[in-house]
Amino acid sequence: MMSNTRPSNTGRAPGAASQDAAPGPRGMAVRYALALLAGILFAGFCALGTWQVKRLFWKLDLIERVEQRVHAPATDAPGPAAWASITQQTDEYRHVRLSGTYLPIFNTLVQATTALGSGYWLMTPLRLADGSTVLVNRGFVPKREGIAASTPAGIVHVDGLLRVSETGGGFLRENSPATQHWYSRDVAAIGASHMLTNVAPYFVDAKAKSETASDAPVGGLTVISFHNNHLVYALTWFALALMVAGITWWIVREDKRRRARRRAGTQESDHAGQD
């Protein structure tokens, strides 16, 4: 006599339903690792975005302070006693004045690109009454020839902006003191190349019309510009953080849906096997 009973499961091993419903140890380890990675990326991107916001407010404050220095009344240029405390953050673009005698024999040309085209900055040492020397960027000249002829003689009064020394050289080009080819206004190197002593660690960009000769260098071409892309950077980092959070949420949701479908399919198979 044949039995009417049917198998209670269509070849499914005991415990298969529970295996479909919940991942094994290896699957759990992978999920924890991915969750940890997502958390690290999210926190890292948020930290970078927050740092860029802080940099943004710092840059805006710096721009405001520089604008105040530029438009403030001129004060005496710092003397030797104050040289050690001069920094770019506290002194760059200060409006200063100084008096002395130019030393045109030590004129130095530094390659420059300006609104007037390519040429040179004319740097001339100014010997002050106390014996110290300050390099003055008298302005732009288009060529190397004839630069000494227009140098004013006697005591001159210079009004301009304090600039911190530019060390190193230009982009992919190094200063060559031996051949007097300069790509940055490195006052220490320029002073040393001419064997000058007691040279200030800054130079002064002379303002426009400080010299009236027809062949005089053109002053007042200082470009006061600050790169301020911090807001864009901050938004980029925060966007990446949101992307990580969104992708993580989508993966978790799809994983839950997939596991739910597996459980539903297992239960239907079990019910079909029991009928």
Side-chain angles (χ1 to χ4, degrees), residues 25-156:
R26 184 175 180 180
M28 290 299 296
V30 172
R31 284 176 170 80
Y32 287 140
L34 292 176
L36 178 61
L37 177 61
I40 292 173
L41 289 175
F42 180 80
F45 290 146
C46 286
L48 289 170
T50 302
W51 176 65
Q52 286 296 335
V53 170
K54 292 180 180 179
R55 292 283 296 175
L56 171 63
F57 285 106
W58 171 83
K59 183 63 67 66
L60 293 175
D61 180 65
L62 174 63
I63 293 172
E64 182 180 357
R65 285 187 281 115
V66 166
E67 287 294 328
Q68 292 175 354
R69 295 174 198 166
V70 170
H71 299 293
T75 58
D76 292 337
W83 288 353
S85 61
I86 291 176
T87 65
Q88 187 174 35
Q89 184 175 357
T90 59
D91 297 281
E92 186 86 12
Y93 301 110
R94 280 177 55 185
H95 188 190
V96 298
R97 59 173 180 261
L98 62 166
S99 301
T101 304
Y102 278 132
L103 305 177
I105 192 175
F106 300 124
N107 277 341
T108 302
L109 292 173
V110 180
Q111 192 165 7
T113 301
T114 71
L116 301 178
S118 297
Y120 304 89
W121 297 122
L122 176 56
M123 308 288 291
T124 304
L126 184 71
R127 181 62 52 82
L128 277 58
D130 61 1
S132 63
T133 301
V134 176
L135 281 176
V136 176
N137 176 17
R138 293 162 56 197
F140 173 80
V141 293
K143 57 185 180 179
R144 300 182 69 94
E145 296 78 15
I147 59 175
S150 63
T151 304
I155 301 296
V156 296

